[in-house]
Structure formats: structure tokens, C-alpha cells
């Protein structure tokens, strides 16, 4: 694990130059979440992600190790935490970079003055900023609505929380089977574990 305060953020990984920007990792995550349950498209996804991430082509005989290294980069650096006051630990996906893209862009602009549509931002820095977004951003409020258990509230507030949870729910295709993971850290760990087999 790197120390984001003391170590230089890597621009090479596993001996290869990389595109360290957040975009290849966000793309990878979004595509992975949309894979069919049988994961038949995983080899193609892995190759396309490596093409986007590594600045030089990966020889076929090195693809397995290169992809494992890519997943290590994805999970390395600061760990994202989406636990917020008022949220509960359920097995629901709390954030999707594709669905929540506009809210993410707005939150970074509001909180940090960073225009994600223009800025290049190291993936690890992106994760550090993402996990520390202030509670007044709409994105953090949405995550709270998705993860809160309406049963923790009484009367009209319970009904309001249930309505907000439904209004801001992720697409049903991402919630199949009861959802995947609630916190970004848990989601990232589970996501990486699938590729370490």
C-alpha cells in the first residue's frame, strides 16, 4: 500500500508505463458491473482494459500477470469509504460510476473546484477525494438514501426515506441478486478478488 502523502503516485506499474488517470479504472468498473452473471465477456473486458491502461501492448503470454497487476493498481492507494452517518451496512451497491457520473462531476466541482470533464487526475488521488466528499454534496446524500434502512425511522420519516431510497435506486440490472456490495471499499475488494483466482 502506498502512502499518498509521502510517495510519488506511480506512472508505471508492473514495469510498464500506464495511463494513471481515473478514466480507465472508472471505465473498467462500469463495464465489469454490466457483465453477464456468467462472466463470459471477462477475457475481452480484461484485454480492452489493459489496452486502455498500459501505454504499450501486452504480449499474449503476459496477459494474465499484466491483468492481475492492473487489478492490484485498481485496489492500491487510498481506500475509498462510503460509510456515512445514517447509512446501514446492507448488501446493496451504493454507487455506480456510470449512473452517478453527473453527480460525481458535480460533487468534485462543488467540493474541490475540479472539473472532471477536463482534468487529468491520478486514480489514487481520485479515490482519496471521492472517499472524502463533504456530506452536503448531492452524491453523498444519494449514497445515504440508497444505503439507509427506512425501518430505522418512524412514521412519516420512514415513508419519506423509503420513497427517497426508491427514487435514487440504481438500475435494477445492477441490483439483481440483492445487489453486490455497500461500501466502495468492500465493493473494490470483492471486485479485485474475482480476478485474483
Amino acid at each position: 500500500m502506498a502512502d499518498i502523502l509521502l510517495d510519488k503516485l506511480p506512472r508505471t506499474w508492473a514495469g510498464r508505463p500506464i495511463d494513471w488517470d481515473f478514466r480507465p479504472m472508472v471505465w473498467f468498473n462500469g463495464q465489469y458491473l454490466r457483465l453477464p452473471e456468467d462472466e463470459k465477456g471477462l477475457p475481452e473486458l480484461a484485454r480492452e482494459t489493459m489496452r486502455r491502461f498500459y501505454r504499450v501492448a501486452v504480449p499474449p503470454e503476459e496477459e494474465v500477470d499484466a491483468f492481475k497487476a492492473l487489478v492490484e493498481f485498481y485496489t492500491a492507494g487510498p481506500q475509498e469509504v462510503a460509510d456515512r452517518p445514517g447509512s446501514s451496512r446492507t448488501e446493496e451497491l451504493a454507487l455506480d460510476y456510470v449512473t452517478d457520473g453527473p453527480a460525481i462531476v458535480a460533487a468534485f466541482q462543488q467540493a474541490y473546484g475540479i472539473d472532471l470533464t477536463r482534468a487529468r487526475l491520478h486514480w489514487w488521488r481520485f479515490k482519496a477525494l471521492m472517499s472524502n466528499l463533504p456530506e452536503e454534496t448531492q452524491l453523498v446524500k444519494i449514497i445515504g438514501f440508497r444505503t439507509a434502512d427506512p425501518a430505522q425511522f418512524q412514521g412519516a420519516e420512514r415513508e419519506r426515506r423509503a420513497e427517497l431510497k426508491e427514487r435514487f435506486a440504481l438500475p435494477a440490472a445492477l441490483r439483481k441478486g440483492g445487489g453486490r456490495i455497500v461500501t466502495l471499499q468492500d465493493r473494490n475488494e470483492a471486485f479485485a478478488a474475482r480476478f485474483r483466482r
Side-chain angles (χ1 to χ4, degrees), residues 157-178:
E157 183 62 13
R158 176 183 283 192
E159 290 175 24
R160 186 179 89 80
R161 291 294 181 139
E163 187 263 313
L164 288 169
K165 186 176 186 89
E166 183 60 32
R167 182 185 330 157
F168 291 104
L170 289 170
L174 296 179
R175 294 182 281 145
K176 62 186 172 217

Side-chain angles (χ1 to χ4, degrees), residues 96-197:
D96 172 48
Y97 293 122
V98 176
T99 303
D100 296 320
I104 293 168
V105 168
F108 271 67
Q109 188 73 50
Q110 176 185 345
Y112 309 121
I114 297 173
D115 180 353
L116 289 179
T117 65
R118 296 174 186 246
R120 282 186 47 84
L121 197 61
H122 195 284
W123 171 239
W124 296 0
R125 184 169 179 232
F126 174 87
K127 291 194 321 178
L129 294 171
M130 185 79 168
S131 67
N132 290 287
L133 284 167
E135 291 187 23
E136 62 269 7
T137 61
Q138 184 66 11
L139 178 65
V140 173
K141 291 176 185 176
I142 288 170
I143 290 170
F145 298 147
R146 288 177 183 155
T147 59
D149 180 1
Q152 294 177 342
F153 302 93
Q154 302 286 327
E157 183 62 13
R158 176 183 283 192
E159 290 175 24
R160 186 179 89 80
R161 291 294 181 139
E163 187 263 313
L164 288 169
K165 186 176 186 89
E166 183 60 32
R167 182 185 330 157
F168 291 104
L170 289 170
L174 296 179
R175 294 182 281 145
K176 62 186 172 217
R180 296 191 185 208
I181 308 295
V182 67
T183 68
L184 295 174
Q185 181 175 353
D186 288 347
R187 184 192 63 181
N188 288 346
E189 288 170 5
F191 175 71
R194 297 184 90 121
F195 299 109
R196 289 188 183 125
R197 295 182 216 155

